[in-house]
Amino acid sequence: MSKCCVICVGRNADRAADRIEAYAKKADFEIVETIFKDTKSVERLKFYIERDFIISILVSSIYDISSDKDVVKGIMELAAEHGISINDESRGYEPALISFEEDNAG
């Protein structure tokens, strides 16, 4: 069974978590943890990624990880280095890819 981590934030986090967990179970994932926005959520997610405890991250939106673009980019790069997909519900659970463009002002 594949292992995943579910991340949900916002006012409807409970409902989103229920919906995403139901999807995970239907897709035959074992849920390692459901993370709700707290001060240590990014560190906990990095812990799972760096130790290859999960193969997928399920989110309702990529910005459930963090509202900081650089933090999201760092998590996406770390996940990619470990072969872990980030699956965004708003994209139909298609793996999220790094699509940030660097500013080339100069």
Side-chain angles (χ1 to χ4, degrees):
M1 182 178 278
S2 301
K3 294 182 179 182
C4 73
C5 186
V6 175
I7 303 173
C8 298
V9 298
R11 273 191 279 164
N12 297 320
D14 291 339
R15 280 186 273 171
D18 290 343
R19 188 175 61 251
I20 294 172
E21 287 173 345
Y23 165 81
K25 289 174 186 171
K26 183 177 177 184
D28 209 24
F29 280 104
E30 175 186 339
I31 300 167
V32 173
E33 182 178 4
T34 298
I35 299 174
F36 290 93
K37 188 71 171 188
D38 66 30
T39 57
K40 300 285 186 191
S41 59
V42 171
E43 289 82 6
R44 287 169 42 206
L45 183 58
K46 285 180 181 178
F47 174 84
Y48 289 123
I49 293 170
E50 290 169 345
R51 286 158 183 80
D52 296 318
F53 287 165
I54 57 175
I55 66 155
S56 187
I57 300 165
L58 305 178
V59 294
S60 58
S61 165
I62 193 68
Y63 290 103
D64 283 357
I65 294 171
S66 175
S67 58
D68 183 316
K69 177 178 154 180
D70 291 330
V71 171
V72 170
K73 181 178 178 182
I75 289 290
M76 292 178 81
E77 289 173 343
L78 182 63
E81 289 171 10
H82 287 265
I84 297 169
S85 66
I86 301 176
N87 299 276
D88 187 326
E89 182 184 34
S90 66
R91 295 179 54 184
Y93 289 111
E94 292 295 320
L97 304 173
I98 298 172
S99 61
F100 299 106
E101 293 187 21
E102 297 295 322
D103 292 328
N104 290 324

